[in-house]
Amino acid sequence: MTRTHRLFQLMTTLRRLPAPVRATQLADEMGTSLRTVYRDIEALRGLGAVIDGEAGFGYTLIEDAALPPLGFEDDELEALVLGLRDVAVIGDPALAKAAETALAKLTARVPPRQAHRLQHAILDARRFFRPAAPRIDVAGLRAATWEEETVRFSYTDGKGAPTTREVDPLGLVYLQDTNMLMAWCHLRRDFRVFRLDRMDDLARTGRSFRPRRVPMLRDYTAILRAEALDRAERRADK
């Protein structure tokens, strides 16, 4: 592997793995020594890459517009166009529009041969049933989730019973027939999911629960995974 190829691979690995990425992870992913990882990190910084962190704490790549764009393999472009077209179908209005503009920007930035592949892609995403349209500002909900801010909203459950909830939003999940918010519910004092199409009167409270979102989401995901495994095992025993 040439040094140039190794540096590009390091940039790709930093983008792909959850930050901060420890040097041992980078060494394992790339099949190099720790010393090489440290040397390559400094080389990338010298070329203009903004990489936060240090040995023992992990590294975070902060994208820098001054860096030249990385090229894409054809299969990577196929994956991008399929994902963006699916988002355009299932996403809330702001996210669907963003997917369309992102695809247009991507088409304008890649080499002509690959732009042709994007414009005439053989992959597409279709859904026979779209999720019900949300009645809230989902872009505002996403912003509150990123900023780890508690939100308040009116909610109607499956039986039609209304409640007012304050939750710590952890993440949004786009399913086949509905879109869901994963959250910590202050009323129930437990993790809960809420359908976006049953939420009204969304308001940000200004109260922060930073920096607990990521570990809380990790815990909730582990609970859901364990419950799914338990259901599968019980079905297998019947």
Side-chain angles (χ1 to χ4, degrees):
M1 182 188 301
T2 66
R3 182 172 180 268
T4 299
H5 184 214
R6 193 175 68 242
L7 293 179
F8 274 119
Q9 184 179 350
L10 179 56
M11 289 281 286
T12 301
T13 305
L14 284 168
R15 285 189 172 99
R16 179 170 55 83
L17 295 179
V21 189
R22 300 184 69 86
T24 51
Q25 290 178 272
L26 294 170
D28 290 342
E29 286 279 332
M30 300 179 59
T32 60
S33 66
L34 283 174
R35 178 176 295 181
T36 298
V37 168
Y38 296 142
R39 186 172 61 245
D40 287 349
I41 289 288
E42 293 307 313
L44 287 175
R45 285 171 169 166
L47 292 171
V50 182
I51 302 175
D52 191 25
E54 57 184 287
F57 293 94
Y59 297 97
T60 300
L61 174 64
I62 302 174
E63 298 293 350
D64 188 339
L67 293 175
L70 291 178
F72 292 101
E73 299 293 337
D74 287 344
D75 284 348
E76 292 172 336
L77 282 175
E78 296 277 11
L80 285 170
V81 70
L82 180 60
L84 288 171
R85 286 184 171 177
D86 198 32
V87 171
V89 174
I90 68 172
D92 59 84
L95 202 60
K97 183 178 180 180
E100 293 174 355
T101 57
L103 185 56
K105 289 179 180 178
L106 182 63
T107 302
R109 295 293 296 273
V110 297
R113 183 187 67 82
Q114 292 191 322
H116 178 80
R117 292 179 69 95
L118 287 177
Q119 292 170 337
H120 305 284
I122 62 172
L123 301 180
D124 201 355
R126 301 289 179 183
R127 301 293 179 104
F128 292 105
F129 302 100
R130 292 194 178 197
R135 300 191 295 260
I136 60 168
D137 175 15
V138 183
L141 177 59
R142 291 201 306 272
T145 305
W146 275 114
E147 295 167 23
E148 300 179 53
E149 182 180 335
T150 300
V151 298
R152 181 188 303 112
F153 54 86
S154 302
Y155 191 72
T156 304
D157 66 17
K159 297 180 180 179
T163 56
T164 298
R165 303 295 182 103
E166 284 195 0
V167 307
D168 298 336
L170 306 178
L172 280 74
V173 182
Y174 291 80
L175 302 176
Q176 173 67 29
D177 56 356
T178 187
N179 299 331
M180 313 283 289
L181 169 68
M182 303 171 68
W184 172 265
C185 179
H186 292 204
L187 178 65
R188 304 304 184 197
R189 306 302 303 168
D190 200 357
F191 294 112
R192 287 290 189 274
V193 293
F194 301 93
R195 286 179 50 156
L196 301 190
D197 60 326
R198 294 179 179 171
M199 298 167 60
D200 288 288
D201 306 319
L202 177 73
R204 298 174 64 164
T205 66
R207 299 198 308 272
S208 174
F209 63 99
R210 192 184 301 271
R212 303 195 307 275
R213 187 186 74 84
V214 172
M216 290 170 71
L217 180 59
R218 185 183 303 118
D219 291 344
Y220 192 18
T221 302
I223 291 171
L224 294 175
R225 186 180 297 112
E227 291 175 349
L229 180 60
D230 181 62
R231 288 193 298 270
E233 290 176 345
R234 281 183 294 176
R235 286 196 300 268
D237 290 339
K238 290 182 179 180

